[in-house]
């Protein structure tokens, strides 16, 4: 059995069969492994082993084993061995859904739990598959509880909820695996708070407390409208209006209250000659609520004072007696108002009640109603202008002067660009991420309404095609795995655009920093380094620079060099990446050295390695003297007969030099005074060292001839030499 981690680089050594079987070796299939037929070592092929691909999801908790068949030995026996593929943390967790949506009633007590069915998954195994969960952005309103059995993930309510204060909570559920270098993923959780009937109706401050109506008004004329509100939703907010039983019979006879709208109308035509006041106590009831009360005083004016009316002529766009004006317009005329009546009201005038952005300007006995400033739809979309009569009659007192209400609707225009919740987003993403995984979600809102407030997202047109933003949700994703070695920082611009005419848009910047993973093995600049160094180099001399790079960063790119095979006369410095000698070198002993270097990084979970060959040639220096081989002693004596012919090779001096090149080239010469050397019948060949008879021996040549021969090399800068004596006796007898 052999074990190996998944995703190792091609040509990584897995193991060897040489301790188990004799060579040769032949692997039957070489899809993921290849084998050296001589050594039995087997390595990763160019096709990396992915544990999650090789073994199914159902068996990921068991060992992932691939079975290999091999023919071994001279007899070619068929054997099998298994390779266990160990998991590394190369897969981030993932959620199947892009978001989690939950509903919860606002009246649940603190401690209530909500089950989260959408749990994260991880394709790895062991600790790399085990997940931890964390809740972010809940503001302390919710917490997370994870029960080991299952596991079960629960969202716990920590604080009391109030839909009328906040009806939607958004937070992030983060799942992180337990790998050495943990990977994580997040999914947004949207919690919608549903309504319960925890509020009762109350009358609006704008609900009228009094109203005036002409004494000759017709049946079904609207006298006024009471307004109550309930902040709950749907049926919980339903309001029923009614009159108190204490209301007078006279009021009940003349007036009727709509239980749904709050309108107070006449039940009959009026024929009143004197002033009269009717007091109504109005109740607003809600489901399971005590009724709210308000009092409305209705003043009936006698017919004698009914000649006074307010006539309205609209100028601006209107429908159903309602003026419609676009927002942001400069002060604009809306209508012309005229006060009509008998001469007794000549001192009367029109005025606007309340603080509203409108004013009346008298013009030739009439009044021009205009806006006093540009209106803002986002501040207020509807106004009710109450125009009343001011002044007194010369003949009688007006109990309650007539009034007219003009409704003004502000029409939204696209005057607000979308607004990002933050204009700068920064995040860190580990390289080799899963494609299409959501990196983050940008968010922009638009204060306008309808299409003017509908926001869509897009990326700048110059943005790399590897990124995509969802036009509706603003979720940003990378379509392909990011590679830090290609680009470590990505700067994106996201635009939020509304659907108004013309459309408005704003932008936010997104900076994505790609974090390093150990996905690059250190690489030598060449698979074979060749260096030259003189043999007289001292110990710790520099031999050469080992060029090696790892494009990863941090510990993943920190490398360590070592000599894995070769002579101990050398050492490599991992910091300076320099090869040094450790001892004196002698070319005559070894003229070259072969080393094998290995480099590994400090990456996790698996360190990656590479190897290279180094050849060091030792350059020769002239550090060896010539060595005389013949004669064997430094003092030699030979007898030469007088009858020896001229040119005879009498003897030979032979020397060698252990140096190389010109340092080993040898010349021979005789050292003697010129007068002595010229009278000697012998000569030495400078190249071969042969000593020959150069002239016929005469009687005067009888006796001993002493030759002092220098053997010299041609080395630089200083030649080295050795000497030898050759003694030649010319004698008739050899005794």
């Amino acid at each position: 059995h052999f074990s190996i981690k998944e995703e190792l680089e091609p040509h990584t050594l897995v193991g060897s069969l040489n301790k188990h079987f004799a060579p040769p070796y032949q692997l039957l299939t070489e899809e993921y492994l290849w084998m050296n037929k001589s050594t039995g070592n087997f390595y990763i092929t160019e096709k990396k082993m992915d544990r999650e691909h090789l073994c199914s999801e159902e068996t990921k908790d068991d060992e992932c084993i691939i079975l290999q068949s091999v023919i071994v030995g001279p007899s070619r026996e068929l054997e099998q061995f298994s390779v266990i593929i160990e998991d590394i943390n190369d897969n981030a967790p993932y959620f199947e859904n892009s978001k989690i949506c939950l509903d919860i009633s606002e009246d649940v007590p603190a401690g209530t739990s909500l089950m989260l069915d959408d749990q994260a998954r991880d394709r790895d195994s062991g600790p790399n598959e085990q997940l931890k969960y964390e809740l972010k952005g809940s503001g302390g309103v919710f917490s997370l509880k994870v029960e080991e059995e299952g596991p079960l993930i629960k969202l716990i309510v920590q604080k009391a909820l109030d839909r009328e204060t906040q009806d939607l909570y958004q937070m992030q559920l983060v799942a992180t695996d337990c790998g050495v270098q943990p990977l994580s993923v997040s999914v947004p959780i949207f919690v919608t708070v549903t309504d319960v009937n925890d509020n009762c109706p109350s009358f609006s401050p704008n609900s009228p407390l009094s109203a005036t109506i002409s004494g000759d008004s017709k049946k079904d004329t609207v006298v006024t409208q009471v307004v109550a509100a309930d902040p709950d939703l749907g049926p919980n907010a339903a309001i029923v209006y009614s009159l108190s039983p204490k209301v007078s019979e006279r009021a009940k006879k003349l007036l009727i209250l709509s239980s749904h709208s709050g309108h107070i109308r006449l039940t009959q035509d009026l024929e009143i000659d004197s002033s009269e006041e009717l007091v109504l106590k109005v109740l607003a009831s809600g489901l399971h609520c005590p009724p709210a009360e308000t009092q409305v005083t209705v003043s009936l004016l006698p017919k004698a004072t009914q000649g006074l009316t307010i006539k309205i002529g609209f100028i601006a766009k209107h429908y159903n007696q309602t003026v419609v004006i676009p927002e942001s317009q400069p002060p604009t005329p809306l209508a012309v108002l005229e006060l009509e009546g008998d001469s007794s009201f000549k001192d009367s005038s029109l005025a606007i009640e309340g603080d509203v952005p409108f004013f009346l300007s008298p013009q030739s006995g009439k009044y021009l109603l205009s806006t006093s400033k540009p209106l803002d739809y986002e501040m207020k979309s509807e106004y009710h202008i109450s125009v009343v009569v001011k002044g007194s009659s010369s003949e009688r007192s007006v109990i309650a002067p007539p009034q007219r209400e003009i409704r003004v609707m502000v029409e939204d225009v696209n005057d607000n660009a979308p607004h990002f919740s933050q204009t700068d987003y920064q995040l860190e993403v580990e390289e080799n991420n899963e494609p299409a995984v959501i990196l983050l979600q940008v968010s922009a809102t638009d204060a306008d309404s309808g299409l003017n407030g509908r926001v869509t997202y897009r990326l700048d047109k110059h943005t790399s095609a590897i990124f995509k933003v969802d036009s509706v949700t603003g979720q940003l994703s990378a379509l392909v795995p990011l590679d830090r070695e290609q680009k470590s920082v990505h700067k994106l611009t996201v635009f939020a655009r509304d659907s108004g005419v013309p459309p408005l848009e704003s932008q936010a910047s997104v900076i994505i920093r790609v974090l390093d993973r150990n996905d690059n093995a250190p690489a030598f600049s060449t698979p074979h380094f060749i260096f030259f160094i003189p043999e007289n180099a001292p110990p710790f001399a520099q031999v050469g620079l080992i060029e090696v790079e790892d494009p990863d960063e941090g510990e993943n790119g920190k490398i360590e060099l070592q000599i894995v095979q070769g002579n101990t006369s050398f050492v490599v410095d991992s910091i300076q990446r320099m090869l040094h000698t450790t001892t004196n070198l002698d070319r005559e002993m070894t003229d070259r050295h072969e080393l094998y270097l290995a480099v590994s990084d400090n990456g996790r979970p698996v360190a990656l390695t590479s190897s290279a060959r180094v050849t060091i040639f030792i350059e020769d220096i002239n550090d060896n003297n010539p060595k005389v081989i013949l004669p064997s002693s430094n003092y030699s004596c030979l007898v030469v007969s007088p009858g020896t012919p001229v040119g005879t090779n009498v003897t030979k001096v032979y020397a060698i030099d252990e140096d190389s090149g010109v340092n080993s080239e040898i010349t021979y010469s005789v050292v003697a005074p010129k007068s002595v050397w010229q009278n000697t019948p012998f000569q030495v060949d400078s190249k071969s060292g042969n000593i020959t008879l150069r002239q016929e021996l005469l009687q005067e040549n009888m006796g001993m001839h002493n030759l002092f021969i220098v053997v010299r090399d041609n080395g630089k800068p200083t030649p080295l030499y050795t000497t030898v004596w050759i003694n030649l006796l010319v004698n008739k007898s050899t005794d």
Side-chain angles (χ1 to χ4, degrees):
H1 299 276
F2 298 90
S3 296
I4 187 172
K5 293 188 179 298
E6 65 172 328
E7 299 288 353
L8 289 183
E9 292 297 314
H11 310 298
T12 300
L13 177 65
V14 178
S16 181
L17 299 182
N18 55 18
K19 294 182 180 179
H20 307 280
F21 307 105
Y25 310 90
Q26 181 183 351
L27 201 59
L28 294 187
T29 58
E30 294 191 345
E31 182 179 4
Y32 295 101
L33 300 172
W34 66 273
M35 182 171 288
N36 186 304
K37 295 183 179 180
S38 302
T39 65
N41 295 342
F42 55 97
Y43 307 84
I44 302 290
T45 65
E46 295 294 335
K47 189 173 184 180
K48 290 185 179 181
M49 291 186 176
D50 183 355
R51 185 186 188 277
E52 291 73 38
H53 175 73
L54 291 172
C55 295
S56 64
E57 179 81 13
E58 291 75 14
T59 61
K60 71 176 184 178
D61 292 333
D62 303 324
E63 287 186 335
C64 178
I65 300 175
I66 59 173
L67 198 62
Q68 299 290 314
S69 298
V70 62
I71 297 176
V72 298
S75 60
R76 299 184 63 78
E77 296 289 334
L78 179 64
E79 300 288 349
Q80 286 186 329
F81 66 93
S82 58
V83 178
I84 301 172
I85 311 302
E86 298 178 353
D87 184 57
I88 66 172
N89 196 22
D90 59 340
N91 291 282
Y94 66 94
F95 287 97
E96 291 186 351
N97 298 317
S98 60
K99 61 182 178 180
I100 299 175
C101 297
L102 301 171
D103 291 337
I104 186 170
S105 176
E106 64 175 323
D107 64 344
V108 299
T112 301
S113 62
L114 300 174
M115 189 75 68
L116 299 182
D117 294 330
D118 193 1
Q119 300 179 16
R121 300 173 181 270
D122 196 310
R123 298 180 62 224
D124 293 318
S125 63
N128 298 331
E129 175 198 16
Q130 297 173 5
L131 300 177
K132 299 181 294 184
Y133 292 91
E134 179 184 6
L135 191 65
K136 291 185 177 180
S138 69
V141 180
F142 297 91
S143 65
L144 201 66
K145 182 179 181 181
V146 181
E147 297 181 358
E148 295 301 327
E149 294 183 2
L152 298 177
I153 307 174
K154 297 180 179 179
L155 195 66
I156 309 298
V157 179
Q158 296 292 330
K159 298 180 180 179
L161 304 176
D162 183 5
R163 187 205 63 80
E164 289 72 36
T165 302
Q166 185 171 348
D167 61 355
L168 179 65
Y169 292 87
Q170 182 176 351
M171 61 208 80
Q172 295 285 329
L173 176 62
V174 181
T176 305
D177 62 32
C178 297
V180 176
Q181 290 185 325
L183 304 177
S184 62
V185 68
S186 64
V187 64
I189 300 178
F190 297 93
V191 179
T192 301
V193 182
T194 59
D195 186 58
V196 297
N197 191 26
D198 57 348
N199 291 280
C200 290
S202 62
F203 280 98
S204 168
N206 296 327
S207 184
L209 300 178
S210 63
T212 302
I213 190 169
S214 170
D216 58 355
S217 298
K218 301 300 181 181
K219 181 181 178 180
D220 292 330
T221 298
V222 175
V223 177
T224 188
Q225 181 185 17
V226 292
V227 179
D230 188 323
D232 291 324
L233 288 178
N236 296 331
I239 298 175
V240 177
Y241 298 97
S242 61
L243 294 176
S244 168
K246 298 180 181 180
V247 173
S248 67
E249 292 299 325
R250 171 68 173 167
K252 292 179 182 179
K253 180 179 179 182
L254 296 180
L255 301 172
I256 187 171
L257 173 66
S258 171
S259 62
H260 298 294
S261 67
H263 285 105
I264 299 175
R265 300 174 184 271
L266 291 176
T267 60
Q268 62 187 38
D269 296 338
L270 294 182
E271 291 289 341
I272 298 176
D273 295 325
S274 61
S275 299
E276 185 179 355
E277 285 189 354
L278 301 176
V279 178
L280 303 178
K281 183 174 286 187
V282 180
L283 307 178
S285 303
L287 187 64
H288 307 302
C289 284
E293 293 185 5
T294 189
Q295 182 170 295
V296 180
T297 301
V298 179
S299 299
L300 305 180
L301 297 182
K303 290 193 297 180
T305 63
Q306 298 311 305
L308 191 63
T309 60
I310 300 174
K311 182 180 179 182
I312 301 176
F314 292 104
I315 299 174
K317 174 183 174 183
H318 67 283
Y319 66 93
N320 293 335
Q321 303 298 304
T322 299
V323 177
V324 179
I325 179 172
E327 66 173 326
S328 303
Q329 286 196 354
T332 304
L334 305 181
V336 174
L337 279 65
E338 185 177 358
L339 185 60
E340 295 181 340
D342 57 37
S343 59
S344 63
F345 293 94
K346 60 183 179 180
D347 295 329
S348 300
S349 63
L350 296 180
I352 296 176
E353 282 190 335
D355 183 16
V356 290
F358 303 92
F359 71 97
L360 287 173
S361 58
Q363 293 186 2
S364 303
K366 299 181 180 180
Y367 296 85
L368 181 65
L369 176 64
S370 305
T371 57
S372 60
K373 64 178 182 180
L375 304 182
D376 188 347
Y377 172 88
E378 288 70 40
M379 295 292 293
K380 192 171 183 179
S381 62
E382 182 176 345
Y383 293 89
H384 293 268
I385 307 171
S386 180
V387 180
V388 297
V389 177
K390 297 291 185 180
S392 59
S393 168
S394 59
E395 298 179 359
R396 66 177 71 192
S397 174
V398 177
I399 299 174
Q403 68 176 22
R404 289 291 299 270
E405 184 175 275
I406 302 174
R407 184 185 183 201
V408 177
M409 299 292 294
V410 183
E411 192 174 46
D412 184 45
V413 299
N414 194 25
D415 59 345
N416 290 281
H419 175 71
F420 279 98
S421 57
Q422 59 187 92
T423 56
D424 295 292
Y425 295 83
Q426 297 191 22
L427 71 154
E428 295 179 340
V429 179
E430 196 170 62
E431 65 176 331
N432 300 327
N433 56 293
E434 287 288 329
V437 168
I438 296 172
L439 305 180
L440 87 160
Q441 184 173 16
V442 298
S443 177
T445 56
D446 194 310
D448 292 320
S449 64
L451 292 177
N452 295 333
R454 182 179 298 172
V455 178
T456 58
Y457 303 91
R458 68 176 179 87
L459 292 173
D460 182 76
K461 63 181 180 180
H462 301 296
T463 303
S464 171
I466 67 175
F467 293 102
K468 177 186 177 182
V469 66
D470 189 289
S471 62
V472 177
T473 65
Q475 292 176 334
L476 180 67
S477 58
L479 302 179
V480 299
L482 301 180
D483 188 344
R484 192 202 66 83
E485 288 71 42
Q486 291 186 3
K487 195 170 185 178
S488 60
V489 178
H490 296 270
K491 296 182 179 180
L492 314 179
T493 300
V494 181
F495 291 92
R497 183 186 183 106
D498 62 31
S499 302
V501 179
L504 301 177
E505 67 181 11
S506 57
Q507 65 185 54
S509 65
V510 179
I511 298 178
I512 303 173
R513 290 181 172 86
V514 185
L515 302 181
D516 184 59
R517 294 181 69 180
N518 194 29
D519 57 345
N520 292 280
F524 290 98
S525 60
T526 175
H528 188 191
F529 292 92
I530 299 176
F531 300 115
F532 296 86
I533 186 171
E535 62 178 325
N536 65 340
F540 307 111
Q542 292 184 352
V543 178
L545 180 66
I546 304 299
E547 296 180 4
V548 60
E549 295 292 339
D550 191 320
D552 293 321
E553 67 177 8
E555 290 297 314
N556 294 334
K558 186 177 180 181
I559 63 171
E560 181 177 352
L561 286 162
Q562 60 178 335
I563 299 173
V564 295
Q565 181 178 340
N567 197 303
T568 57
S569 301
F570 302 91
V571 67
V572 64
D573 184 344
S574 290
I575 299 177
Q576 302 295 330
R577 303 180 186 181
M578 183 64 69
L579 190 65
H580 296 267
T581 61
T582 58
T583 62
N584 292 315
L585 304 175
D586 188 350
R587 190 205 64 81
E588 287 70 41
M589 294 292 293
T590 304
D591 62 352
R592 77 173 186 177
H593 297 269
E594 294 285 344
L595 309 177
Y596 288 90
L597 296 178
V599 61
S600 60
D601 58 30
N602 286 334
R604 295 291 182 271
V606 178
L608 304 179
T609 62
S610 299
S611 61
R613 174 186 172 193
V614 180
T615 301
I616 305 170
F617 291 96
I618 310 302
E619 296 177 318
D620 183 56
I621 64 170
N622 193 28
D623 60 344
N624 289 283
N625 293 63
K627 181 179 180 181
V628 177
I629 304 301
L630 293 175
S632 58
S633 66
N634 198 37
Y635 187 87
S636 174
C637 183
L638 295 100
V639 178
V640 180
S641 173
T644 301
V646 175
T648 298
N649 190 12
V650 177
T651 186
K652 178 180 179 67
V653 178
Y654 174 64
I656 62 173
D657 193 313
E658 293 181 344
D659 293 322
S660 63
V662 295
N663 295 332
S664 65
E665 295 178 0
I666 297 175
T667 59
Y668 304 88
S669 62
V670 177
V671 179
K674 186 176 182 181
S675 59
V676 175
W677 174 241
Q678 288 178 344
N679 294 327
T680 299
F682 302 99
Q683 63 181 6
V684 177
D685 186 283
S686 64
K687 298 295 184 183
S688 66
N690 291 333
I691 301 176
T692 58
L693 187 63
R694 67 176 181 178
Q695 65 185 36
E696 183 181 353
L697 295 174
L698 304 176
Q699 183 62 36
E700 58 195 45
N701 299 125
M702 294 296 181
M704 183 67 74
H705 295 265
N706 303 107
L707 305 181
F708 184 67
I709 298 176
V710 176
V711 182
R712 188 188 313 270
D713 62 28
N714 291 328
K716 304 294 182 183
T718 304
L720 302 179
Y721 64 88
T722 304
T723 61
V724 63
W725 282 97
I726 301 294
N727 302 288
L728 301 175
L729 177 62
V730 180
N731 195 351
K732 292 181 180 180
S733 170
T734 59
D735 295 336

